[in-house]
Amino acid sequence: FENSSETKIKLNDLSKAAKNYLKNGGENYKKFIYQMIDLNIDNEYDSKIFSALSTISKDIKNDFLYSISTEAYLIGKPLDHDNRFSLAYRYGEIEETKLAYYHYRFLNNNQKDEDSSYWNNFGVEASNLELNTISVEAYRKAENLGGTLAMSNLANKFINVGFTEEGESLCKKAMSFDNYDRRNLEALSTIETIKKNEEEREKVLLEDVNKKKATIIKISKGLLLKQIKNLPNKYKHPNCTLEAECQDDIIKFSGKYKNEAFSGLLGLAAFGSVSDKKLIDYKIEMVGNSVGHLIEGKYVNQKIDPEKETILKSGEDEIEIVMLVSDDKKLIEVFNKNNYIKIFELKSVE
């Protein structure tokens, strides 16, 4: 048996080899990852594998793989602010605004030496979510830390919205005078209402993000399993039985069914008797590229021309999906790649 230090050295070497392989034009970096997984007894080195996948997926510009591997890495290394900032920044670029907001918020709540860029970017995402009071407060903190970009953002914010602090100050100043106008009390009440409203909206937002992150972490566990080399021949889809094919890292499922009408992209068959109605043939195809037990690909549900036996394009006939294959390969959970919502399951047919 190898000792822990020897394993760490091997893992580091394999991680470097995968990155160098990519830099030199190689494409099959997964072979190095699978060797790392073989060394990962009892999941002791999950963070190292997720870190390697994070770096690699960032280099190959695979945002999906980058986000789930980095999210999983940060579970084990929550105070790695550099990687968290990079993830938050990328989320901002690809308009995953709620996730970006979550991570900038975490950075600001856990930083030792305050960084104006954290506060500025937090302010930007808060503004994108129309949390205007929170946004202005964040810009002010960045401004106090010398953030000149935040000063510009704050100036623009003042032009449009978010004068709560100034309004509160003016109301309190007015109330220091005798016989002040009672409408200042109404204005203060409005400010408090705005702040409470944003606090409630932020609470709901963070609950939504935490649910999404829980699914992301669940999906990421598939990256730690060994390469899929074979699958059961058949799986039960809600509408029909699908046949499974494996060729290297490409996994494909396909099948046909009949339905009275096209009932949306997922094509889930309608309830009730259709014996007296004309049935239409449809073809389902799911194909993707696997890393471990995670398959990133597309779901296609299309009408078949009965005369030509060819596919009739519907215009909205495919979505991007993620498939998570269970350890025993008997269950495959299928998620919408864009929002991580589970859409259905496939169960193996004995």
Side-chain angles (χ1 to χ4, degrees), residues 16-29 32 55-57 59-60:
K16 289 176 183 177
K19 295 167 189 174
N20 289 332
Y21 187 72
L22 275 173
K23 286 180 181 178
N24 293 323
E27 295 181 358
N28 190 19
Y29 66 88
F32 300 103
T55 303
I56 289 167
S57 54
D59 288 342
I60 63 176

Side-chain angles (χ1 to χ4, degrees), residues 39-309:
L39 294 170
N40 189 29
I41 307 300
D42 298 325
N43 298 98
E44 185 179 355
Y45 302 108
D46 287 4
S47 290
K48 284 190 174 294
I49 295 173
F50 285 133
S51 177
L53 281 168
S54 173
T55 303
I56 289 167
S57 54
K58 189 176 182 181
D59 288 342
I60 63 176
K61 296 179 171 56
N62 184 325
D63 287 324
F64 166 72
L65 190 56
Y66 171 64
S67 63
I68 64 168
S69 57
T70 309
E71 289 280 11
Y73 165 77
L74 289 171
I75 293 296
K77 303 287 184 180
L79 297 181
D80 186 339
H81 291 344
D82 289 343
N83 273 307
R84 189 179 294 276
F85 182 85
S86 295
L87 178 62
Y89 191 85
R90 185 57 187 154
Y91 276 145
E93 289 182 320
I94 62 176
E95 298 183 358
E96 282 282 3
T97 309
K98 291 181 180 180
L99 285 166
Y101 179 91
Y102 171 91
H103 285 289
Y104 285 128
R105 186 177 186 273
F106 183 97
L107 286 167
N108 288 323
N109 289 339
N110 292 277
Q111 58 180 325
K112 290 182 180 178
D113 301 315
E114 290 195 299
D115 189 317
S116 66
S117 61
Y118 292 177
W119 283 111
N120 175 73
N121 291 11
F122 179 59
V124 170
E125 301 305 338
S127 180
N128 289 337
L129 291 164
E130 298 183 358
L131 298 172
N132 293 312
T133 303
I134 293 173
S135 174
V136 169
E137 289 174 354
Y139 287 147
R140 282 204 175 279
K141 288 182 180 179
E143 177 193 11
N144 293 334
L145 292 167
T148 56
L149 178 57
M151 294 176 194
S152 171
N153 288 332
L154 188 57
N156 286 316
K157 194 76 174 172
F158 282 168
I159 292 169
N160 298 301
V161 291
F163 279 97
T164 55
E165 188 172 333
E166 284 71 15
E168 186 173 7
S169 177
L170 286 170
C171 289
K172 288 180 177 178
K173 182 179 179 180
M175 290 168 65
S176 68
F177 293 92
D178 293 335
N179 300 318
Y180 64 84
D181 192 308
R182 293 291 169 178
R183 281 174 290 189
N184 282 284
L185 282 173
E186 294 174 10
L188 279 177
S189 177
T190 300
I191 290 168
E192 283 303 309
T193 300
I194 290 171
K195 288 183 176 180
K196 286 180 180 179
N197 179 266
E198 288 197 5
E199 286 174 3
E200 287 299 314
R201 286 172 57 206
E202 184 191 44
K203 182 180 178 182
V204 172
L205 179 156
L206 292 173
E207 287 174 355
D208 181 51
V209 169
N210 282 323
K211 288 178 183 177
K212 192 171 187 177
K213 277 172 57 62
T215 304
I216 290 172
I217 297 306
K218 176 182 179 178
I219 290 172
S220 72
K221 299 299 182 184
L223 296 172
L224 299 174
L225 299 174
K226 295 182 180 181
Q227 179 182 16
I228 297 173
K229 294 184 178 179
N230 54 70
L231 286 170
N233 293 328
K234 296 181 179 181
Y235 284 86
K236 183 63 180 174
H237 176 276
N239 286 348
C240 60
T241 298
L242 302 180
E243 293 187 356
E245 301 175 47
C246 298
Q247 186 173 0
D248 297 324
D249 292 331
I250 305 300
I251 312 293
K252 180 179 178 181
F253 304 88
S254 58
K256 294 179 181 179
Y257 71 100
K258 293 180 181 289
N259 196 8
E260 63 174 297
F262 189 79
S263 54
L265 178 58
L266 298 182
L268 302 182
F271 291 103
S273 173
V274 293
S275 58
D276 57 342
K277 298 179 182 178
K278 183 179 178 181
L279 294 177
I280 300 170
D281 291 323
Y282 290 93
K283 179 179 181 180
I284 291 175
E285 188 171 278
M286 300 162 61
V287 60
N289 196 300
S290 67
V291 181
H293 276 221
L294 202 62
I295 307 167
E296 180 186 1
K298 291 183 178 180
Y299 176 95
V300 181
N301 183 52
Q302 297 170 317
K303 187 188 297 184
I304 301 173
D305 186 322
E307 296 180 2
K308 299 179 181 178
E309 284 294 316

